[in-house]
Structures are given as C-alpha cells and as structure tokens.
C-alpha cells in the first residue's frame, strides 16, 4: 500500500494536524487524531482543505 | 559500555531501575547494593528478574562504588545518601539521586518542609532538578541530578504551561492527587496491610505534603511569579499510578484554543508527554490505567467557563515517569543519547 | 522485513499482538482489521499505543490480507475465522490462529466439546498445536499453527513431565484453575460488570470447560497413555493471570528428586519456563503476580507423601504465554529466528 498523498489540515478545535487524503471528496468525514472532533471536507483547493465541523452526539463517558 | 551502579536496589524504584537497565546493550549494571539483602540474588526480591539476571546484591561502600561505576543511582530514603554524594562527586562519579535530598534550592525550605538541616547547602546550587521537559540542557551538563518526586512530576508538568502563559491565578492553585500504593515505598505498615489498604480512598498529609515545596519552586522558576499551591493526596486502590487534578482560577476570559496552544508550545517534540483530551476512544482524559509500566505522562484539561477555572489532569506511573523511568531518561540525556533510548515502552493494557 | 497482519485486532489479544509486534524492527504490521472499528486509529481502542503508532483499523477482506501480508494472526472468536483459513493457505499465507478452531485433531471432539461440526476436518491433521515446548520442530515447518488455549497452556506444561515419566495416575488428574478477567475476552456482560466482577472467587463451567479436550489430547500424545483430567475454573479478582493447580495421585513411592529431574529434563534450555520451588525470596511457588506482561510460565510442585499425591502449579499471563506472547513465539520459530526474539521482557513488579 503506497503512502497515499495527504494534505495536512490544521484542526480548528485544537490546532492538531489532520491528514486528509488528497483525493478526498466534499462531504467525506475526517476526525482529528488529537481531540477526536469530526469534520466534513467542505472543499479542497490545491493543497488547502476547508473543513466544516459537524455536531456529533453527546460524549459517551460510560459512567 | 557504561558502568552503572544502583545504591538501594532492593526497593521498588531500585527494582524498576534494574528492569530498565538490564535490557540495555550499551549499559552494564555493575553494582546493585542493599545492606539488608547483601549476597542475595536480586531475583529473590524482584521475582520478575528471575532468569533475566543472576546479579547479587552487594554492600554499599564508597570505594566499591567508585571502583565499579561511572554513573550511580541513589534509590535510598531521604537523608540516608546525602553524606555519600560529596564523596561520590569527588571521585568523579555522576550521581542521579532519587531522594529529595538535593531537589530544593533554598536550604531554609528543607528546614521548613523536611525538618532537616541540610549538611551541604552549597551542593544545592550545583544539583540540577531532573525534570527533562523543563531542564533538558542543564541535565545534559550535570554531574548531580536530583530526580523529582512522583506527585511533583505530574503536577508540575500539567501546571507549567498554564502558569507560564498567565492563564490562571498562580497564587491560588488547588491540587487534588490520587496515588497508588507503590508510591509510598515498600516498608509494610498497618496502613499498607491488605485488609486496610484495599478499597480505600484515604486522604493523607492533606495540607503538608512535602512535594508542595518543589512544585512551588519549579513553577516560580518558569514563570517568575509568586506561586502558591494547596496539594492534597489521597491513597486509592491501585498499585501503580498517580492522577493529579489541578484547579486554576482563570484571570480573564480564556479560549480553549489558548490552552491547547500553551501545551503544544511547551511540549512540542517531547516524546513522553501525550496530550489526552479526546471525545472519542477509551481514554478521553488522562487515566493512570493507560500508562502503567510506561514512561508517559498523559496531560489533559477542561475549561469551565461558568465557574471560571481550568481543570488540568496529569497521569503517570509513579514508579516510572515518577521515579525510575525519569531517572533513566536523565541518564540517557547525561550520556548524550536520545532521551527515549530503551524507554519508549507501551504500557500493559489491560492491567 | 516481514509483513504481518492481525485479523480481529480490536480485542485484548489483538492489542497485545500490536504491542509486541510494533516494537520489532524486523516486522511491519501492515494490517490490523476490525469490522466494528474500521477506519479508527488503533490507539482509540488500545490507549497504550497512543504516540506509538498512527495505524488505523481496516476491513478484513481476503484480497486485502493476501495483498499486504506474509503471515497473519487470527484473533477472532471461535468459529468466525474458520472459513478464512483454507483461502489464506491457498494464496500461500502462513496462519497463526488464536481461536480453538484447529487445535483438536479429532473432528468428533469438536462435536462433543464445541457442539461444532468442523467444515475442514482434513485441515485438522495439517494444523500444528502451537505449544513450542512440546512441538518446536513441527511449528518450524508449519503453515497453519493452532495457538493453544490459555488454561490449557498452563495445565499441559505443568503436567506433561509428570505424565510422561509415569509419576502420577494419568486417568485421575484434578485441575483447579484460577483465572483473571481478561481471560474471558472483552465483551461486557453482567458478570464482567465491575460491581459484580470485583471481589469474586467464582466457579464457572465447573465440569465442562472446553480446554479439557486439548489438555487430554496433548498429554495423550506425549505419554501414549489414556488421560483423563477434571478441570474446574474459578474467576478471581485479578485482570491478567492464571494459576493452574493440578493434583496427581502418585502410583508408587516417589522421591522429590525424581520430580525435579522430570521437569529439568523436559524443559532444559526452554527460556520461557522457570522452575519456581524456592524456600527463599518473594516467589516461593508460582504466582501470576510475578509474570504479568511477560511470556514466562512459572512451574512449581510439592510432593505430599502422606496423602500420596503431587501438586503441580503453573502461573502464566493469560494474554501473553496464554495467547499473544505464545503466538509471537510461534511466529519467531516459523521465521527461523530465536524464539525469544522481542519476548524476553521482564514482567512489571509490583503490579
């Protein structure tokens, strides 16, 4: 599996690096490896990714 | 090959030093001393080392140590190795002291917190506080490193970025610590007697924990502010692990991103710090369960805007990042090696 | 570089395989599958692997596996991977199956013990029972290894020398097993609910434990005798660990030295077996507390002349020598490497 080309987006929530596959299509879901917030790929222009945060259901704390 | 000795190798921290160092190809453990177990195989006291080594405990004597070691770890209770240190330094040895004997800079603090009149106040200046994430360069050049206390390690690492960036009121920090049984050392007492120690959530030294002194000292040094923390430990029903929960009152309106930024900037590239504030997965906030046996310090936080406070969590294994793991991290730095050498070990899960 | 895949990598045994394999320079974990967690970072399920890897779970498909792996571990529940195996073997992959699907030689035993009609009885002959201390040479040449069960590993290793040397009556062996909570797998139930699982000493499947079949099978193969064991497991309040206590009735007058000799002869040079019968030290007889996280099997015994029995103890970590550690030991042997490669890890003490 050759390393897919990725574009690194900065997570709006925590400044973490999100690796978005460069062939990602708008609407695709990505999540930040650090804070876990999920985003929708809004658009890709060259090597810049625009992310739209989406509301996930309440955190399951398990307690 | 670097020759390393461990003075006081029969305790839990001594045992961890043996576990970590015996698997190193570049290091030879030439000495593991214990007055009580002199002549005994180390695995009789540390069964996990059976068939890993046939090393025996030997007697701690200056020339014995000077003859066989380049570096020596002192893993003995406070006040017992302090007289050894000057002699060891004199014969050119490098010393990593796991006790509190050289952590504080101001001799008056020893009288205040440890009721102890320090016999070598001049050495306090020379000693380097062995917290790599704050004093890396000094440790690199040090010949005497004072390994930090376990609760202080966790508490300093979670508070330093907040105090340094003036995100909280440095003179009113509440620290509520939960700590496992191996953090109190190996000598049995009624309080460590299984029927009494199991199932507890037991507050102790609630307003006088001695690690307070080094936490205030280090936070002052990094922020040049007056710092006052109130630390209250609780013994909980685990063996290894510390969770330090710190409460800082926010000075003015703070954004969550400011906190992320403060931690990222402080610990960028520091392999043993993991930022854990994750809405997904098993570990959403730091929890000692997920660092047992590793040298990681998991740091997380939450901003409570309604109340006006930042809650900072920090989880470590008190025997690893809180003691022996950090001591080996310091040795790596003093040897000019990558600090993670032999230490990037994933913890056991589940444990 | 050997490419290795793990099917069912989200369970505890899958997590241990990742922990052991990711630190290997000679091995690349190219695939970690999980239907439920497809696309998720593995550290979200195995927090101990955070900052150790950014590997993600992927979907288990034959061509996905065939394309990226030379060796594949199957760490899925019984009966779910059995259909995969023939296809994987066909495309030339080597398979180490951690389930019970290929452990038994006689298809009738599957019907009797697992109420399961084996779809590929011919493969049962080809599969090698993955207990290195008994089947080293066969494993070396195997392309399908059936990794033993955890309780069976402990029980077989402590009984094999006694049965082989005719020291006990092979048709009346009582086995009383104590086992930790991680031995029952990761899916939560009322019995694993903390308030119900803590503090228990709970007998379960007291006369029908399925591992009985493979223990009798292996002891028969090594002694050519008819073997009958009565195995009774008890869940105890630890997470990792098995202590198997076997009671064998002595045929005639036995000397303690005969027992020492039987074990030494059987396990001479076997690095993961430690004989623990020691009048000194912390571990006088096998105790799972001192093997947690290691691949060791501690074996000990006592001769009760008054009663006419041998008591044989065997302590392992059910996730390590009882599953993933042994699976990696088998991989090492299949690769022609020293079986201890990356596995001679001392356990954590104290834990």
């Amino acid at each position: 599996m050759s390393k897919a080309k990725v574009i690194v987006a900065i997570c709006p929530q925590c400044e973490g690096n999100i690796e978005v596959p460069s062939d990602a299509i708008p609407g695709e879901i990505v999540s930040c490896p650090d804070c876990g917030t999920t985003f929708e790929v809004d658009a890709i222009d060259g090597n810049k990714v625009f992310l739209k945060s989406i509301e996930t259901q309440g955190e399951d704390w398990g307690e | 090959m670097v020759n390393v000795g461990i003075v006081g190798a029969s305790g839990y921290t001594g045992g961890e030093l043996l576990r970590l160092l015996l698997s190193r190809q570049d290091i030879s453990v030439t000495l593991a001393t214990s007055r009580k177990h002199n002549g005994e195989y180390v695995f009789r006291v540390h069964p996990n080392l059976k068939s890993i080594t046939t090393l025996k405990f030997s007697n701690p004597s200056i020339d014995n140590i000077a003859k066989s070691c380049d570096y020596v770890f002192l893993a003995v209770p406070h006040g017992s190795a302090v007289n050894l240190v000057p002699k060891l330094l004199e014969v050119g040895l490098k010393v990593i002291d796991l006790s509190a004997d050289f952590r504080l800079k101001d001799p008056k603090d020893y009288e205040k917190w440890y009721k102890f009149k320090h016999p070598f106040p001049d050495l306090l200046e020379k000693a380097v506080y062995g917290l790599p994430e704050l004093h890396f360069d000094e440790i690199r050049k040090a010949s005497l490193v004072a390994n930090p206390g376990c609760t202080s390690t966790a508490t300093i690492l979670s508070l330093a970025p907040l105090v340094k960036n003036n995100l909280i009121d440095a003179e009113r920090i509440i620290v509520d610590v939960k700590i496992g049984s191996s953090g109190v050392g190996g000598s049995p007492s009624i309080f460590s007697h299984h029927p009494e120690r199991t199932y507890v959530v037991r507050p102790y030294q609630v307003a006088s924990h001695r690690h307070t002194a080094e936490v205030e000292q280090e936070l002052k040094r990094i922020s040049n502010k007056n710092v006052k923390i109130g630390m209250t430990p609780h013994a909980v029903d685990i063996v290894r692990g510390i969770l330090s929960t710190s409460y800082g009152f926010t000075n003015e309106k703070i954004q969550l991103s400011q906190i992320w930024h403060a931690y990222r900037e402080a610990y960028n590239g520091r392999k043993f710090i993991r930022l854990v504030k994750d809405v997904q997965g098993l570990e959403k906030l730091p929890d000692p369960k997920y660092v047992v046996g590793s040298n990681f310090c998991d740091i997380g936080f939450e901003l409570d805007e309604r109340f006006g406070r930042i809650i900072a969590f920090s989880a470590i294994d008190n025997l690893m990042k809180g003691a022996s793991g950090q001591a080996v991290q310091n040795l790596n730095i003093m040897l000019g090696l990558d600090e993670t050498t032999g230490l990037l070990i994933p913890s056991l899960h589940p444990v």
Side-chain angles (χ1 to χ4, degrees), chain B residues 19 40 44 48 50 240 274 278 280 282 347 349-350:
Chain B
R19 178 175 73 86
E40 176 71 280
R44 287 269 161 66
N48 56 326
K50 185 175 168 97
R240 285 175 182 239
R274 303 191 303 195
D278 193 337
Q280 297 184 42
L282 213 50
S347 69
H349 175 251

Side-chain angles (χ1 to χ4, degrees), chain A residues 22-56:
Chain A
S22 51
D23 52 11
I25 44 162
E28 205 167 313
I29 304 292
V30 291
S31 87
C32 169
D34 289 348
C35 73
T37 312
T38 44
F39 300 93
E40 215 181 274
V41 174
D42 209 9
I44 293 186
D45 140 28
N47 54 18
K48 194 125 185 24
V49 184
F50 297 92
L51 300 174
K52 208 172 54 182
S53 74
I54 41 174
E55 257 323 296
T56 47

